[in-house]
Amino acid sequence: MTGLQGWLDQPGVTIVLVGALVGVAASLLGAFLVLRRESMLSDAISHSVLIGIVLAYLITGALDTPLHVVGAALAGLLTVWLTDVLVRSRRVKSDAAIGLVFPALFAVAVLLINVYARDVHLDTDAVLLGEIGFAWLDVVRVGPLEVARSLVTMLVITLVNLAFVVFLYKELKLATFDGMLATALGFRPGLVGYALLALVSVTAVGAFDAVGAILFVAFVIVPPTAAYLVTDRLWRMLVLGCVVAVGSSIGGYALAVAYDVSIGGAMASATGAFLLLALIVGKHGIVARALRRRAPRPPPVVHVPEAGGAP
Amino acid sequence: MAGRALGMGGGMEPALMGDGRAAGSNGSHEPAFALHVEDLTATYSGDAVLWDVDLNVPPGVLAAIVGPNGAGKSTLLKCVIGAMRPAAGHVYVFGHPYRRQRHRVAYVPQRTSVDWDFPTTALDVVTMGLYGRLGWFRAPRRGESDEALQALALVGMDAYAERQISQLSGGQQQRVFLARALVQDADLYLMDEPFAGVDATTERAIVDLLKDLRARGKTVVAVHHDLQTVATYFDWLALLNVRLIAQGPVTEVYTPEHLRAAYGPRVVLLGVGGHAPES
């Protein structure tokens, strides 16, 4: 036990573990957002959860209660719902609708902080960039161990997301690929979609202290996109996304230590490096596509109609 | 049992007739019809796309829903499967609301309505047809894969089972969609533009498939866009242009008057009443 505690007491271990857990939790859900072409919803949600956190703070007077998770999830769903309402008006396209909704909610949240919570540690820099470097300072007791609070939070969220994706894999796949068939078979794709986005919101709150909104968005979008360039199977895309996320956390931390730069920034850059690699050498990357273009095309399947066939 | 009083179609199952459900003296939800749509009105942001449509498709027919762009053909199917809530009206499948008959209905969306770059295989797409039978949370197993593979063989696509779906041609993709409907072993098949953008071989394969379904007593309701082939591919026709223009056996409905009523006076009619000429 003391060995494990000694290991956990090293700031670097905690930082890498928190980064890896945020990355895995985010990219598991992100794979579906990317395939649904809704990845920028994660950007919107990661900002607008702030209003849920602020309102929960104003109600409870504390910064870390279960109500924060609920408030943030509701704020995330409010964002998605408002976006839907605007899109359904058919006068606002979805990208514009996202851009209309979350700055408004974020701005209201910032004003509420200014007016009612001036003396609280809820400053906007921390919201956007987080400070993963301090993750190890805030510890809680778990049995015999002293563990960083964000490590515990992110471990729980990661397990919840993993369970969600494993148990609802078939439902998520169907709702993402063919919402009409999902509806016809009675699978409520709308409900599945809202559940997914509620978990994105909860994950965003968990990631909030640790890594901030920007690194969160990077973890939601970049690892699944890199994996999508490499594979043709959904489950491999999920696994590879997690591998890229963990690799980015380790590589990013090493980068930050080596060059004495922001840890969060280095981790986000590391996801970008993986994406670049996938873009170049992936199955659907630039090199593969160029080779396909140069290689003689496989003979097309030509169906010769028999005499008297349809026009 | 009011249902008994009305004529039974060829593919009717006896169990349905004796289920004790009051058909209503006005014949509202008649089990004698495979698909019965009543006073259906649907709107998109205030504009009516379907207006007071009554549709009665008897069992065992190959029915085409035909009409100009924006006539509400796809919307009609969406209302049937509950993907869109109508402003008014009711839909009955073999005499019952759709949600109680899901297991008897297979739906084939427009091929272009899904993202074929999705990371999955042809076999996996066909397996999706069995998700309804599996229900929530249960994962497909070996048995489901075998069934899906057999369905792929029925459309001549078993050799492509492990292909990523973006590597299939448009016609092959359509056949995968049809295999997904076949694997459901339904009684009513709803198809949205099954012939859109397919090659000649696939077109003929689909026609054969439809005829085989009819021979087995199944009912097909397909949105169709090609006036020239309606009379040869289908035996029952509903002409739609927001309102229902006419419905019935294709020989009765496929007339210049009805087509002009649906498409407007300027429609060019080639060989109406007989077979379409070679184009």
Side-chain angles (χ1 to χ4, degrees), chain A residues 53-129:
Chain A
I53 295 174
V54 173
L55 289 176
Y57 167 76
L58 293 179
I59 291 168
T60 62
L63 260 178
D64 200 2
T65 65
L67 194 65
H68 282 82
V69 175
V70 177
L74 290 178
L77 293 183
L78 178 70
T79 312
V80 176
W81 180 73
L82 285 175
T83 308
D84 269 357
V85 168
L86 283 173
V87 171
R88 257 182 280 144
S89 77
R90 301 172 102 194
R91 284 287 174 274
V92 185
K93 299 287 176 237
S94 74
D95 55 344
I98 292 171
L100 284 168
V101 171
F102 87 81
L105 293 176
F106 187 70
V108 171
V110 169
L111 291 182
L112 284 175
I113 294 174
N114 285 168
V115 176
Y116 295 108
R118 230 175 238 287
D119 47 340
V120 177
H121 171 71
L122 247 182
D123 59 282
T124 34
D125 284 355
V127 166
L128 286 177
L129 297 169

Side-chain angles (χ1 to χ4, degrees), chain A residues 11 14-16 18-19 131-139 147-151 209-211:
Chain A
T14 298
I15 292 167
V16 167
V18 168
E131 196 32 272
I132 195 168
F134 296 148
W136 54 283
L137 288 174
D138 183 10
V139 291
V147 186
R149 183 188 299 275
S150 45
L151 191 56
D209 303 328
V211 304

Side-chain angles (χ1 to χ4, degrees), chain A residues 230-250:
Chain A
V230 173
T231 180
D232 277 340
R233 301 288 185 278
L234 179 57
W235 67 270
R236 273 190 220 144
M237 180 176 162
L238 289 165
V239 172
L240 276 173
C242 292
V243 170
V244 169
V246 173
S248 300
S249 178
I250 298 169

Side-chain angles (χ1 to χ4, degrees), chain B residues 16-38:
Chain B
L16 253 184
M17 304 307 290
D19 67 0
R21 185 184 171 84
S25 51
N26 57 359
S28 50
H29 15 259
E30 233 356 287
F33 293 117
L35 177 63
H36 174 62
V37 171
E38 190 177 286

